Amino acid sequence: MDESKKHRQSPEFKMSAPMDTNMEDCATTDDTRTDRFKHSFKFFKRRKPPPDFSNVIDFHNCAANNQVLQQVSLQENHKVSASVCQSYGLKPVKDWKAFSLHDVPGFIFIQDPFLHGYQRYWIKRCLKDFPQKPNVCNLDAHVTLKDDDCLWDMSQSHLRKPSGGKSLIQQLRWVTFGYHHNWDTKVYEEDHHSPFPADLAGMTELIADSFGYHQYKAEAAIVNFYHLDSTLGGHTDHSEFDLEMPIISYSFGQSAIFLVGGETKEQTPTAMFLHSGDIIMMGGPSRLAYHAVPRILASADGNIPQCLQSIPELTSFGRAPSKEKTVDVPPDSISEDSECTVLGKRTDLSECCSVLKEDIKGGHDFHSSESNTESDIPSGKRRSNELEIDNPSAKVLCTEQSNFATRNVDLRDTKAAEKGDIFDIDLDLRALSCNENWNAFADYLKCSRINVSVRQVMRHGQGFPEKSPE
């Protein structure tokens, strides 16, 4: 895009993340003509003179053509209704804009499919929730964190009144959860994992399912935190036992230049802009393609992207957020007068959200009015799809969402089993709609970018291979 030439940049340094490899050290020869990936990386990393961005693909401002890319036709999968998409903050599948590259088969770019304002929820998860224990991060080697320590909360006083040095959240470079990659041995270990968040797993599996990967399981993730002077060196991701299922990556915050090439560095990579909300899938032949981030691009006005300035258009099962503001609701979403039975009380679904949320936290037991009256179900164990809901659309929504959020229960976040359903996302976003609660996240993102990379580790139906005897 033309404005990229005006982006303000800081001096470059190599990002301290486990995947990071200095491209200058990657070359197998001093002749950069045979290492075309290195040549492109150095070109876009260059400060003086600044690189020419005119040949960088901007999927937000381009027309599909037969020379470089083509638009992927998407029909709404019968398993992925508009309602379940909305529950994760996504537009209906039929409204997504996806592209493929002729030179990189298997690569898919999805242009920001999030509903207005819903990126805020995922940003909050990345900065406040995902860095908490038992997940692993780069700060573990320097700081001892307790289970209930929150890096984000611990850094707020420093962010408000800087007193020299960087806060912990500013020093955070990466977080891993699910199966943890051993960066020394370059392998995953069966006994080294933490719970995989159910909301992120559900959304990722929904996206994979929409493109034909119906058995996809989100089993490992790395969250990279970039600043304006960060890079991610050229590499391939080949440690997983399943190399057929795609890597699915989400971008939030400032824009970046992304390079994707082939299975060798002799192939000239394709350069593209990644903007906040964009999603890329690397499957098929592109699963083992070299890729890198040579540059982070600050916005021309020094602010967060426009899409993050939008206040979420929230609905509670089809309810408009206020009398003054209405939103378009898909036909199959739940009507305003829908009812359900919770704790023996018949109520409208907007009240059901509050009742469910309070009882998950407050320690009450759930009882259905009919099928479960003879047995008590412990607090927090009952999922939303087990509520007795009169409206058929509501029942379909809860069942569909559960299909994506419970495929691999061994790694799901059972401590917060309801995290990721429509109740929590909606309620969290109502809080983030208040500038007082959102401003700290916005300030962080003025000079930062977050990338969440999710992958399936195990082959379908198989376990970890047996270790060779020592």
Side-chain angles (χ1 to χ4, degrees):
M1 58 184 179
D2 296 338
E3 291 182 353
S4 298
K5 299 180 181 179
K6 301 179 182 179
H7 282 315
R8 299 190 300 276
Q9 297 293 315
S10 302
E12 193 74 38
F13 87 114
K14 184 168 71 73
M15 179 180 175
S16 176
M19 287 186 180
D20 197 10
T21 306
N22 193 330
M23 280 302 301
E24 277 98 62
D25 295 334
C26 284
T28 57
T29 173
D30 291 334
D31 187 355
T32 57
R33 289 175 297 178
T34 60
D35 190 346
R36 295 182 175 87
F37 197 100
K38 173 184 176 181
H39 179 75
S40 294
F41 186 94
K42 293 180 68 175
F43 174 79
F44 288 108
K45 180 181 176 181
R46 190 179 68 197
R47 298 298 171 182
K48 295 181 180 180
D52 179 8
F53 295 106
S54 60
N55 291 324
V56 179
I57 298 175
D58 188 349
F59 289 97
H60 290 251
N61 186 28
C62 70
N65 62 75
N66 294 326
Q67 300 299 318
V68 180
L69 57 92
Q70 64 181 9
Q71 189 162 350
V72 177
S73 298
L74 273 171
Q75 297 296 325
E76 190 165 12
N77 190 310
H78 71 279
K79 294 182 181 179
V80 188
S81 70
S83 295
V84 75
C85 285
Q86 179 182 326
S87 73
Y88 290 108
L90 297 170
K91 301 173 185 176
V93 174
K94 62 183 179 62
D95 294 335
W96 297 359
K97 293 183 179 180
F99 301 87
S100 62
L101 298 173
H102 293 301
D103 292 340
V104 191
F107 178 89
I108 295 176
F109 184 102
I110 309 172
Q111 177 187 319
D112 184 11
F114 290 93
L115 295 167
H116 290 303
Y118 274 73
Q119 291 184 46
R120 291 188 178 192
Y121 171 82
W122 296 106
I123 290 167
K124 175 257 183 185
R125 290 285 275 155
C126 290
L127 288 171
K128 188 169 184 178
D129 301 331
F130 294 159
Q132 292 184 254
K133 292 300 174 188
N135 296 340
V136 177
C137 72
N138 66 294
L139 297 179
D140 291 340
H142 311 285
V143 180
T144 301
L145 298 173
K146 300 177 182 178
D147 289 347
D148 56 351
D149 284 341
C150 177
L151 288 174
W152 179 257
D153 292 341
M154 294 166 63
S155 302
Q156 290 312 296
S157 59
H158 185 283
L159 292 174
R160 288 191 296 267
K161 297 180 179 179
S163 56
K166 294 182 177 180
S167 67
L168 290 175
I169 202 68
Q170 290 171 319
Q171 298 177 58
L172 184 65
R173 291 295 180 267
W174 56 266
V175 171
T176 61
F177 45 82
Y179 287 113
H180 300 287
H181 188 265
N182 187 316
W183 304 111
D184 295 323
T185 62
K186 308 299 182 184
V187 298
Y188 291 95
E189 298 175 355
E190 185 174 9
D191 58 353
H192 189 205
H193 63 79
S194 58
F196 199 106
D199 52 356
L200 179 62
M203 180 172 68
T204 304
E205 290 163 5
L206 181 156
I207 292 169
D209 191 81
S210 301
F211 288 89
Y213 296 98
H214 303 305
Q215 295 182 325
Y216 188 92
K217 292 182 180 179
E219 296 178 323
I222 176 171
V223 184
N224 277 320
F225 301 89
Y226 297 81
H227 302 295
L228 298 182
D229 50 4
S230 302
T231 66
L232 179 65
H235 65 281
T236 62
D237 295 298
H238 53 267
S239 297
E240 293 73 32
F241 300 106
D242 190 317
L243 296 177
E244 297 180 0
M245 290 296 183
I247 293 174
I248 300 178
S249 294
Y250 305 86
S251 292
F252 301 110
Q254 298 298 330
S255 300
I257 299 293
F258 180 77
L259 302 179
V260 59
E263 294 187 16
T264 71
K265 290 177 283 186
E266 295 180 0
Q267 179 175 328
T268 301
T270 300
M272 65 194 72
F273 291 104
L274 285 180
H275 300 304
S276 191
D278 291 340
I279 301 172
I280 58 174
M281 295 181 60
M282 296 179 65
S286 73
R287 178 61 177 78
L288 293 174
Y290 276 91
H291 53 284
V293 178
R295 197 182 192 98
I296 307 300
L297 302 167
S299 60
D301 60 1
N303 207 337
I304 59 175
Q306 186 64 39
C307 63
L308 298 181
Q309 300 178 35
S310 304
I311 296 177
E313 296 179 347
L314 298 174
T315 61
S316 290
F317 294 102
R319 278 187 176 276
S322 67
K323 295 181 179 179
E324 293 75 25
K325 189 174 185 179
T326 59
V327 296
D328 293 330
V329 180
D332 58 341
S333 63
I334 300 166
S335 63
E336 182 173 345
D337 58 354
S338 300
E339 294 182 338
C340 68
T341 302
V342 181
L343 303 176
K345 175 184 176 183
R346 187 165 296 276
T347 179
D348 73 277
L349 284 173
S350 63
E351 294 178 9
C352 168
C353 294
S354 299
V355 172
L356 178 61
K357 185 75 172 183
E358 290 171 1
D359 281 272
I360 291 170
K361 292 185 175 180
H364 294 291
D365 291 338
F366 284 90
H367 302 280
S368 171
S369 61
E370 296 179 5
S371 59
N372 292 301
T373 54
E374 297 181 359
S375 62
D376 292 345
I377 301 177
S379 172
K381 298 298 183 182
R382 186 179 182 86
R383 296 193 57 81
S384 57
N385 61 307
E386 295 175 352
L387 298 174
E388 180 188 339
I389 301 177
D390 292 341
N391 188 297
S393 297
K395 190 172 295 184
V396 170
L397 166 63
C398 296
T399 301
E400 287 178 338
Q401 192 177 58
S402 179
N403 288 339
F404 292 110
T406 58
R407 291 184 181 179
N408 187 355
V409 295
D410 291 339
L411 287 180
R412 291 297 180 261
D413 187 354
T414 54
K415 288 179 65 178
E418 300 301 325
K419 197 45 121 168
D421 65 26
I422 196 169
F423 303 102
D424 273 338
I425 291 180
D426 190 64
L427 291 172
D428 279 7
L429 276 171
R430 289 188 186 281
L432 291 172
S433 296
C434 172
N435 286 334
E436 182 178 350
N437 297 326
W438 168 247
N439 284 344
F441 295 102
D443 288 341
Y444 175 91
L445 291 172
K446 288 178 181 178
C447 55
S448 303
R449 171 181 179 264
I450 302 171
N451 176 259
V452 185
S453 180
V454 182
R455 67 278 317 277
Q456 176 172 322
V457 176
M458 307 304 304
R459 292 189 179 95
H460 182 68
Q462 297 184 15
F464 270 80
E466 294 184 6
K467 293 183 179 180
S468 302
E470 297 181 359

